[in-house]
Amino acid sequence: VDKGPALGLVAMTLLALGAVAIVALRTPVKQRREISPRIAADSQEKSVWHEGVLMTISVLAIGFVALFASLAACTALFMASRASGLEHTANLTITMIAFPLVWAGFAVFTGYSNNGWMKAGVLFGTLIASSGIVSILMQVS
């Protein structure tokens, strides 16, 4: 009885992953579009290397902030579910399934958003809101 909801969630997740895999295998591959290279008038090897290093550092930094934001959001979800009386195994399973989805959502959002302030606002807003929820629930329980 205690493991029923958890096993049901795992089974639904595996079925959904199987459905996604079947759709992915049946979908034809689109042709890549031609991208014309842009070359600056005064481009140098050094500046290209420097920009690549800066881009790598910024992507890693955004990835770590997204990781911490998703950890905070899932911790808040776990504590809110526990405070509402959800059974522990089901609560843990829901949180484990939610974590990679939330992290992937943040990764897609930060990857496609062009506005740097919007990226920072969403990630740090999630961190602050989740921290507030966790601290309130720690006082209550």
Side-chain angles (χ1 to χ4, degrees):
V1 173
D2 291 340
K3 296 179 180 155
L7 291 175
L9 286 170
V10 170
M12 287 189 309
T13 304
L14 292 176
L15 285 173
L17 286 173
V20 168
I22 290 170
V23 169
L25 291 174
R26 289 185 178 178
T27 304
V29 178
K30 293 182 181 178
Q31 294 294 325
R32 291 184 144 218
R33 61 185 174 103
E34 289 292 324
I35 299 174
S36 60
R38 290 185 241 162
I39 300 173
D42 59 346
S43 65
Q44 298 174 351
E45 290 281 333
K46 191 175 190 180
S47 65
V48 172
W49 181 82
H50 183 67
E51 289 177 11
V53 169
L54 289 178
M55 179 65 77
T56 304
I57 290 171
S58 67
V59 166
L60 289 174
I62 289 173
F64 282 125
V65 172
L67 169 69
F68 291 129
S70 57
L71 280 172
C74 289
T75 302
L77 172 68
F78 180 82
M79 292 190 69
S81 298
R82 186 178 71 174
S84 68
L86 188 67
E87 193 264 327
H88 180 72
T89 307
N91 187 14
L92 190 61
T93 305
I94 290 170
T95 307
M96 287 188 309
I97 291 172
F99 173 72
L101 296 176
V102 172
W103 195 9
F106 283 143
V108 169
F109 173 73
T110 56
Y112 282 101
S113 177
N114 291 329
N115 188 346
W117 289 106
M118 179 68 76
K119 292 178 192 181
V122 168
L123 292 176
F124 286 114
T126 303
L127 280 169
I128 292 169
S130 299
S131 299
I133 291 169
V134 168
S135 65
I136 289 170
L137 291 173
M138 286 178 69
Q139 300 296 325
V140 172
S141 60

